[in-house]
Amino acid sequence: MSSAYLTRVLRQPLRAWRWPRREHLLERVFRRGPPPFDPFPSIQDVIDAVLCPVTVVHKMYHGLHGALSGPREVAEKIGSHFHRFVSILKSDIALGRRRPDEAFGLLKMYCSREGLDYNSEENLKRYLKYWLRRKKSSLDELWGQGPGIFHEVHVSTINATWEERGVRYPIHGVIDEIDTINKRIVERTIRGNENDPNPPFLEDFQVWLQWKVLTSINRDLLPDVLRNEDFQDYDLIVETPHKDFTIEKNKPLFEKWAEDALAWISDIARSSVAIGDAWQNRGHHNRPCSFRNEVEECSLDWACYSHRWRYPERRSALRASLRPIYRALYYEQVWVHDLLLYQLTKMEQDADPNLRGELRRFLIGRKIYPLETVENIGSNKYRVKIDERVKVSLAEEVQDESLGFEVIFGSFSVGLRRRAYLLLDERETEPEDGRYVVYIEGMDGTEGMNAFLLKGLLLKEDPWFLKQVVQRAVFSLERWGVDREERAKNHVLIKLIDTLFGPGTLRAKRR
């Protein structure tokens, strides 16, 4: 056991990542059974695996994700609203639309538009006060400098490598902020306190990993506004409401953590033995996890340690019977969602130009739709024109529904990812001519960028994320029960479980 891993055995590094073959990428084979390739992990997946390998089990098979939490009472919702509001405020200031001292007025409008209640607005206001107090001078300097700060930058690579070994890995994710004015990559969080000497747990690893993914992507795939930037020289910043922390880039320990996490992800995806190993190695590398001694920052402790109900008595048999269901639901997600991530990334980055061309021809009109922004008509509404080659395909997909898509400005490898809604009831929407009115927020700085719609929840595609909803429901059933014998005797579901998985009988009452 390495001295850097006080509580976890270092996973055997992978000799190679399992990549989908050409016939899988071009969907020339029937999708069935275990996928013969590894999943396409997100940056968040890698962070969660560094936190604890059991989080990988919960994500893949129980539909639970985002294990690393902030303050429990406001964790994910307030954190995402805080980052989104700061991005809107900084964009408005950079474009000369609003002064820094108008921040609280803008916050009130933001909370009203988002439908946030009084408590959520007060929490946001509290974090914003701390943040504004120390950012006032930099915001004053930002006034009128133009669109040089880019928020919610999507990155995806098939060429992530670590110093000691040459194994390539796929990773995708979102960078909170790329600041080309001050040459910084920023990871923003509401975690942490005013007197903390170090950044919040694993936030330094997160911004480092984002930087590694970004710098592994060929410069030719970057949008024009970023192509001349040397990200090797950028500062890595973890920004909390109270402090900014500058993170070193030369981090051999982070390299080991990343490779270890990716080995867990690959092994757990294909091996029941690895799942058992994960439970034996609960916790972070130097912070063990056990009942009543959990890793404080993990929000999934309830999924690992729960009350042991007396009934149903055949819980073990029930659990064994549910495992194939978990796996089948996970396999479907990989075949639908992860395969699409491979297709989109390899379409731009694969070393074989013939495969890149084949993928582009295969995906355009099926999964992606090139578009051109024609005119800004105000209130975040835009007239757009769909590429002539695929306008019929999109018209058939949307039919009579107002559906949401992901729109990427730039490339899938490095682009601004925004949510777009096709407004089919607008008078100027004419699907037969490929003309639509769409609602998109955060379009500033996208002028001149290539853009395409990425197929989201459509009628003809099985929505992969609904499989996670089913997984969570099944996991809830597995953990559910009662203690009182008199209640168990009269509970239909408990009687049904014990009958199906035991020697008991269940008789229907005659009315």
Side-chain angles (χ1 to χ4, degrees):
M1 185 183 297
S2 166
S3 60
Y5 298 82
L6 303 180
T7 65
R8 272 168 56 174
V9 176
L10 183 62
R11 198 73 182 164
Q12 181 68 34
L14 299 175
R15 295 182 179 179
W17 192 260
R18 294 189 307 161
W19 300 89
R21 298 190 298 272
R22 180 185 291 262
E23 57 265 33
H24 300 129
L25 293 168
L26 297 173
E27 299 185 23
R28 292 172 178 169
V29 294
F30 185 70
R31 300 175 176 182
R32 62 180 181 181
F37 52 88
D38 285 326
F40 199 120
S42 68
I43 289 172
Q44 188 62 57
D45 293 337
V46 178
I47 294 166
D48 286 347
V50 172
L51 173 66
C52 175
V54 178
T55 66
V56 180
V57 180
H58 288 316
K59 194 263 186 179
M60 289 183 179
Y61 301 116
H62 303 149
L64 308 173
H65 48 85
L68 192 63
S69 68
R72 291 297 175 88
E73 70 277 7
V74 293
E76 183 175 351
K77 183 172 66 174
I78 298 302
S80 61
H81 280 300
F82 178 75
H83 167 66
R84 189 177 176 192
F85 174 77
V86 167
S87 68
I88 293 171
L89 175 64
K90 293 182 75 171
S91 295
D92 281 0
I93 293 172
L95 295 170
R97 295 173 181 164
R98 204 175 301 271
R99 291 284 184 180
D101 55 12
E102 299 177 67
F104 289 104
L106 179 63
L107 177 65
K108 194 161 192 66
M109 289 190 291
Y110 174 86
C111 292
S112 176
R113 185 176 71 246
E114 295 295 322
L116 300 184
D117 60 23
Y118 174 80
N119 289 333
S120 296
E121 182 175 345
E122 287 300 303
N123 277 319
L124 273 176
K125 190 179 296 184
R126 175 164 55 90
Y127 288 118
L128 186 61
K129 282 179 180 177
Y130 286 118
W131 186 82
L132 284 173
R133 189 168 60 193
R134 63 186 191 83
K135 290 288 184 179
K136 187 179 186 309
S137 60
S138 63
L139 292 176
D140 288 338
E141 293 172 4
L142 182 61
W143 168 259
Q145 293 210 31
I149 300 179
F150 301 92
H151 303 275
E152 297 295 308
V153 181
H154 178 265
V155 290
S156 184
T157 186
I158 55 171
N159 294 305
T161 58
W162 320 119
E163 295 296 334
E164 295 184 2
R165 303 173 68 248
V167 178
R168 291 187 305 115
Y169 299 96
I171 307 176
H172 73 100
V174 176
I175 298 174
D176 282 351
E177 180 178 300
I178 295 180
D179 181 351
T180 63
I181 299 172
N182 299 299
K183 310 302 181 187
R184 310 186 331 157
I185 296 173
V186 178
E187 166 61 23
R188 184 171 292 114
T189 179
I190 61 171
R191 298 167 58 211
N193 298 305
E194 194 166 2
N195 298 319
D196 287 346
N198 298 309
F201 184 49
L202 291 183
E203 295 288 351
D204 49 354
F205 175 77
Q206 181 167 346
V207 72
W208 173 87
L209 184 58
Q210 292 167 352
W211 170 73
K212 290 289 286 187
V213 171
L214 178 62
T215 54
S216 73
I217 298 170
N218 190 301
R219 188 183 296 270
D220 292 338
L221 294 173
L222 272 60
D224 290 342
V225 292
L226 298 176
R227 192 164 296 162
N228 294 324
E229 298 296 319
D230 186 358
F231 294 113
Q232 294 288 353
D233 292 336
Y234 268 48
D235 291 329
L236 308 184
I237 305 295
V238 172
E239 180 184 285
T240 76
H242 311 282
K243 283 185 177 181
D244 286 357
F245 299 90
T246 301
I247 309 303
E248 293 181 17
K249 300 190 190 80
N250 183 20
K251 286 282 195 176
L253 182 61
F254 285 0
E255 303 256 352
K256 292 182 180 180
W257 283 3
E259 196 157 45
D260 183 62
L262 288 158
W264 278 113
I265 290 170
S266 175
D267 290 348
I268 291 172
R270 51 178 156 167
S271 169
S272 298
V273 173
I275 294 176
D277 292 344
W279 283 101
Q280 293 295 320
N281 287 272
R282 291 191 299 274
H284 183 51
H285 296 287
N286 53 11
R287 295 174 63 180
C289 180
S290 58
F291 181 58
R292 293 183 178 174
N293 187 32
E294 299 89 355
V295 176
E296 181 181 356
E297 292 84 357
C298 181
S299 63
L300 297 182
D301 52 351
W302 61 270
C304 295
Y305 308 107
S306 57
H307 181 73
R308 295 187 178 182
W309 302 101
R310 290 181 60 192
Y311 304 98
E313 294 179 324
R314 301 293 174 175
R315 187 182 304 279
S316 296
L318 170 66
R319 183 178 294 117
S321 298
L322 294 179
R323 285 172 189 157
I325 298 176
Y326 289 133
R327 283 198 172 273
L329 291 167
Y330 172 66
Y331 293 157
E332 288 188 56
Q333 294 173 56
V334 176
W335 277 116
V336 173
H337 181 61
D338 295 69
L339 181 60
L340 177 59
L341 293 172
Y342 278 114
Q343 290 171 321
L344 292 168
T345 310
K346 280 182 165 286
M347 177 186 73
E348 296 176 348
Q349 298 181 18
D350 197 87
D352 182 356
N354 293 325
L355 178 59
R356 294 201 304 268
E358 286 185 83
L359 281 170
R360 185 171 295 277
R361 290 189 293 273
F362 175 76
L363 293 172
I364 289 179
R366 288 186 176 90
K367 305 291 178 68
I368 57 177
Y369 306 93
L371 62 85
E372 174 190 356
T373 303
V374 177
E375 183 183 2
N376 180 353
I377 58 178
S379 301
N380 293 318
K381 293 182 181 179
Y382 299 84
R383 291 192 188 95
V384 301
K385 191 175 189 314
I386 302 299
D387 190 292
E388 288 286 335
R389 296 169 294 171
V390 298
K391 66 181 182 182
V392 175
S393 299
L394 182 60
E396 291 175 350
E397 293 286 6
V398 299
Q399 298 182 8
D400 295 325
E401 300 290 333
S402 294
L403 296 174
F405 288 73
E406 297 290 345
V407 61
I408 300 289
F409 295 95
S411 67
F412 187 76
S413 300
V414 180
L416 303 182
R417 188 169 186 164
R418 301 291 183 264
R419 191 69 176 166
Y421 296 90
L422 302 183
L423 305 178
L424 301 181
D425 293 333
E426 291 283 335
R427 181 170 51 85
E428 294 170 294
T429 291
E430 300 175 355
E432 62 277 6
D433 294 329
R435 297 181 182 277
Y436 295 86
V437 175
V438 299
Y439 177 88
I440 311 175
E441 285 189 346
M443 287 272 284
D444 299 318
T446 63
E447 295 80 5
M449 291 187 184
N450 294 327
F452 55 91
L453 293 173
L454 178 64
K455 182 192 278 192
L457 175 57
L458 294 178
L459 302 178
K460 295 182 180 177
E461 180 180 58
D462 187 18
W464 61 271
F465 54 84
L466 293 184
K467 305 301 179 186
Q468 295 183 343
V469 176
V470 178
Q471 286 178 319
R472 290 194 290 271
V474 174
F475 187 54
S476 178
L477 172 64
E478 178 186 320
R479 298 173 65 254
W480 171 84
V482 299
D483 281 330
R484 294 170 54 191
E485 182 179 1
E486 60 272 20
R487 186 182 175 193
K489 285 181 178 180
N490 297 312
H491 201 292
V492 174
L493 182 56
I494 289 177
K495 292 168 70 176
L496 179 62
I497 291 172
D498 286 339
T499 299
L500 289 173
F501 299 100
T505 58
L506 181 66
R507 298 182 182 274
K509 292 183 179 180
R510 180 177 298 174
R511 293 186 178 275

